[in-house]
Amino acid sequence: FGIGPKPSVILLCLKQFQTISLENAAPNHEAFTGLHAHLRQSFPSVFATLKTETIDGYSLLIEWPGQYPGLEPGLLLAHQDVVPVQPGTEADWRYPPFSGTVAEGHIWGRGTMDFKLGVVGILEAAELLIRAGIKPRRTLFLAFGHDEETLGQSAQAIVAHLQNRDVR
């Protein structure tokens, strides 16, 4: 655990914030808003320094202005949601799917690989770079959708939002 995102942040993202995407069901408000509050607390420099917008209810779009505004921006993506556990398969799991168990050199649970790890990893990198006073050459957008596991409409909403701002 010496390199990479903070294990405690990942563990809490898995255990406490079960941001499960279900078709034909509204997102779990408490899970997503709790996750957002936890991310703000865990990465204070990112959220104090960079412009953050909530898109389509629960997706996050963070803008990190670059040194050279004339350069086309970059986009880093990850998603906050996970698929539900199929009822009746709980016994098939080596560790409970939302336990965040640390064992065998890994953190086990929904979202560790797909893809809360990506959210935490991107934010961790940004946090460390901001604290070190490093600014990207080009503007970067960090986009974290909330419904990738179903229809991914939040990604479309983020694209439309950026297009409305004339961002290419």
Side-chain angles (χ1 to χ4, degrees):
F1 296 120
I3 299 174
K6 303 171 191 172
S8 61
V9 174
I10 296 171
L11 290 174
L12 286 172
C13 288
L14 294 171
K15 286 179 158 181
Q16 294 181 359
F17 310 112
Q18 296 183 21
T19 54
I20 299 168
S21 277
L22 299 169
E23 291 193 36
N24 303 316
N28 181 316
H29 177 76
E30 291 77 22
F32 281 98
T33 57
L35 174 62
H36 295 169
H38 180 63
L39 294 174
R40 287 178 192 280
Q41 179 182 4
S42 299
F43 304 105
S45 298
V46 169
F47 290 97
T49 306
L50 308 181
K51 178 182 177 187
T52 303
E53 299 176 271
T54 302
I55 308 292
D56 196 30
Y58 301 102
S59 292
L60 299 176
L61 180 64
I62 301 170
E63 183 176 354
W64 192 354
Q67 299 174 44
Y68 304 102
L71 295 176
E72 288 189 358
L75 177 67
L76 300 174
L77 305 166
H79 62 89
Q80 309 166 62
D81 61 321
V82 298
V83 296
V85 175
Q86 290 285 8
T89 67
E90 295 84 359
D92 297 338
W93 289 76
R94 190 178 313 183
Y95 300 98
F98 292 102
S99 68
T101 299
V102 178
E104 303 172 43
H106 302 285
I107 300 173
W108 296 81
R110 286 281 198 214
T112 52
M113 297 301 290
D114 184 22
F115 199 53
K116 287 181 182 174
L117 177 64
V119 173
V120 172
I122 291 168
L123 290 173
E124 176 76 359
E127 181 77 13
L128 293 172
L129 290 169
I130 290 167
R131 287 184 184 183
I134 298 171
K135 189 174 184 180
R137 292 176 51 86
R138 66 186 67 241
T139 294
L140 295 176
F141 289 93
L142 317 178
F144 306 132
H146 73 274
D147 63 353
E148 186 274 342
E149 298 293 357
T150 54
L151 299 176
Q153 292 176 336
S154 65
Q156 296 171 18
I158 291 169
V159 168
H161 180 77
L162 290 171
Q163 287 175 333
N164 288 338
R165 292 181 48 198
D166 292 323
V167 174
R168 270 189 80 213

